[in-house]
Amino acid sequence: MEIYRHACPRNCFSTCGMLSYIEDGKLVKVSGDAKHGYNQGRLCAKGYAYTQYVYNPYRLKHPIRQTPRGSGNWKRITWEEAYDCIADKILELNERYGSNLASGYNKFSGNIGLLHYAVEGMFNSIGPHTKPVGNPCLITGEQAMRKSFGQMNRMMPEKMAEMNAIVIWGANPAVTNVHQMKFILQARQKGAKLIVIDPIFTRTAATADIFIQINPGTDRWLALGVAKLLIESNMYDEEFVRNQTVNWEEFHQYVTEQVDLHEVCRETGISLDVLCELLSIYSMPKPCATWIGFGIQRNENGGQNISAINTLAMLGCQSGQENRCVYYSHSGIDDFPVNLLNHEGPVHPIVQHSREIDINNFAENASKLVEPPLKFLWIALRNPLSQDQDFQAWESLMKELELIVTVDLFMTKTAEMSDLVLPAASHFEEMDVNVSYWHHWLSINEKAISPYYEAKSDLQIARELMEKLNERFPGFSNFPSEREPIDWIREELTPSVKKLYSIESIDDLLESPRLRGEEGKNLSSSAFKFRLFSEENTDTSTYSMNREKTDVEESYPFQLLTPQSLLKIHSQYEAMPWLNQGAEQAVVELSEYAAEKRGILEGDKVELFNPNGKIAAIARISRFLPQKVILVNQAGKNPINRLIAHKPQENPGKSSMNFYDSSVNIRKWCETNG
């Protein structure tokens, strides 16, 4: 039996090191890599189910074409035919419009390996085109962190085990980051307190010493209220705020004059006694960790929420900066040249730059493009008809496009609406290198088995398609098709990267994952200047949950929260029998209050609806849910995101998707409900 080293490439905190066991060329087992210091030889349920993922009967085997689009009339074609079709369209659009702006892609994080930037590299290699910018998941928080700290923190998550208190603010690691729970448990075994702040009584909250159930979207109020108590009690580090912050006087005046504790309690739904309990945590002279979850910033005021929490965390812990530990995410990829992403294409004589579209409003904005309109769209590493929002805009855009190509392992809802679907390789069938946005380990991903039927990696597709284009039109693309995956990986391992990870060559990574050096030192720099919460660009002083309700809020009075589930990531893993043994019908959780108001009983079939659409689900009544919150997990055959619409932002690409700003109504299911 042969054993190979891998990194789980899903968009997940853990980016786990794993081992594959190969017998007669087949994957027979996977396990955690004991040499990986974060997951330490363990995997989550999704990781252990990878044998079913690779050899799943629903996995795509060959390139297929659908005529007409959306008909379900699929025909198997060869890769050569697929490449011919795509090349024909790209070249025809180039001739029609005089550039490649009518060709574009929509790609995100279905596989976060560095070589999957081959999609961007491929399009860069043909010159200016149409591309998405931004990040639907965490960029609002990243912007807020950079504004507070000047850069992204690099705190090691393993060091959470050394804390005397851990405040988890809007995160649910027991579901979305299971390996972090062991470090939290280690801290608690040494006497640390665990405090969870969340609108939902999560699995993590169930393990906490203190659970604080906050009204959704009011986190900044709570943080500013406790900060006011710190200042009034003189429990903050005065030397720190005067010497290492840039706006202390402004913040002090704002909190003193504008933050009213009675208003804080009314807005958050939290009593003054609980605020005082948090005060005792943040005034401890010992290390305290604050973990800010991504859900905190998935609303219109997300940046202010995170800025306020950062401020509270930095004001507390009087014993020094090294004890002010704020966790969100980090930009480990910034250490690397990411050559595929940054590949420079040919210069166009007239069009100087590619055309950029905010990924959070991609479909709506793409439909408005003129001179030229977008006509060809390549979709890879995502399933927008499950994980995006405003499906009506996507459906409208798809009617306008002349060719849609989707690359995936399974027939997703997006693939169903495409012209061509190309089968993608799994990470066991390709070579890659991976870093995490949470921990600090660098991992190699070896190719362990031959591709499933005719599946190919994004890099292999890019190499072959660009070679086809150049056969048709010499010099059309400058993509270096001759380079193998190992060549790209070696180029990522620059001298600075090797020094940072204490490696001499790729062979060291084949022996074991490596930990990044110099971690977590940015906050102790003498040049560090922290920016406290600012009233600028925030409506904190005027917003009130008790304001007069609008007509829309009266018609759709419940706030919709849509967190990730334990056994799926959006639509990924839906075809795994080990992970899908329950009923296929979606489940909606509602409060006892909502159930009584609508006459709904446990197990009733119900319908959620708003102007964006409607979905059917089975009701589950929760005594722990806030009165006007409705919860539906991501994933499912009828995606909950159908009910979500994202408001356009002033600065495209600079904010996350506002998944948690949606309101809905609920009623018992009736065949005549529209």
Side-chain angles (χ1 to χ4, degrees), residues 374-523:
L374 183 66
K375 291 298 181 182
F376 163 56
L377 185 62
W378 183 282
I379 301 173
L381 299 159
R382 69 192 318 260
N383 179 13
L385 290 182
S386 172
Q387 67 189 98
D388 273 18
Q389 42 73 45
D390 201 352
F391 288 1
Q392 294 174 1
W394 268 106
E395 290 159 1
S396 176
L397 172 64
M398 287 178 162
K399 292 177 182 178
E400 301 166 10
L401 295 167
E402 295 178 4
L403 181 64
I404 303 172
V405 177
T406 291
V407 184
D408 213 309
L409 289 89
F410 295 90
M411 181 59 76
T412 65
K413 289 188 174 295
T414 302
E416 289 174 354
M417 295 305 298
S418 303
D419 300 293
L420 293 177
V421 177
L422 307 180
S426 74
H427 66 285
F428 299 101
E429 300 156 9
E430 62 181 7
M431 194 169 194
D432 210 335
V433 63
N434 296 70
V435 291
S436 168
Y437 53 75
W438 179 248
H439 61 68
H440 302 277
W441 290 83
L442 172 65
S443 302
I444 196 73
N445 186 83
E446 295 186 87
K447 181 177 179 179
I449 55 177
S450 298
Y452 184 73
Y453 287 82
E454 295 185 45
K456 296 185 179 184
S457 70
D458 285 320
L459 180 55
Q460 188 66 21
I461 294 171
R463 295 170 67 191
E464 294 174 356
L465 178 56
M466 293 303 99
E467 191 170 22
K468 170 66 70 173
L469 274 169
N470 284 335
E471 288 176 6
R472 298 284 193 84
F473 193 120
F476 191 86
S477 164
N478 68 358
F479 193 85
S481 296
E482 73 281 358
R483 289 189 193 171
E484 298 287 342
I486 189 71
D487 300 321
W488 289 102
I489 293 175
R490 286 190 176 118
E491 288 195 0
E492 293 301 315
L493 302 181
T494 62
S496 62
V497 168
K498 291 177 180 177
K499 181 179 180 181
L500 197 56
Y501 287 94
S502 300
I503 58 176
E504 295 182 0
S505 71
I506 194 172
D507 293 335
D508 293 325
L509 292 176
L510 293 171
E511 289 295 323
S512 70
R514 292 302 179 98
L515 178 64
R516 183 187 191 276
E518 303 178 12
E519 71 284 350
K521 294 185 178 180
N522 49 308
L523 293 187

Side-chain angles (χ1 to χ4, degrees), residues 548-565:
E548 186 176 346
K549 301 295 185 182
T550 66
D551 290 342
V552 171
E553 289 171 314
E554 291 290 351
S555 300
Y556 306 99
F558 300 103
Q559 183 167 357
L560 177 64
L561 299 184
T562 57
Q564 293 290 343
S565 57

Side-chain angles (χ1 to χ4, degrees), residues 231 247-259:
I231 293 170
N247 59 331
W248 166 245
E249 297 297 337
E250 173 193 349
F251 175 75
H252 185 277
Q253 181 179 0
Y254 173 73
V255 170
T256 302
E257 297 178 1
Q258 301 295 327
V259 177

Side-chain angles (χ1 to χ4, degrees), residues 16-17 31-34 36 38-44 48 179 182:
C16 290
S31 71
D33 185 350
H36 194 289
Y38 185 70
N39 64 295
Q40 298 178 354
R42 299 176 180 87
L43 297 175
C44 70
Y48 288 118
H179 299 298
K182 64 177 173 287

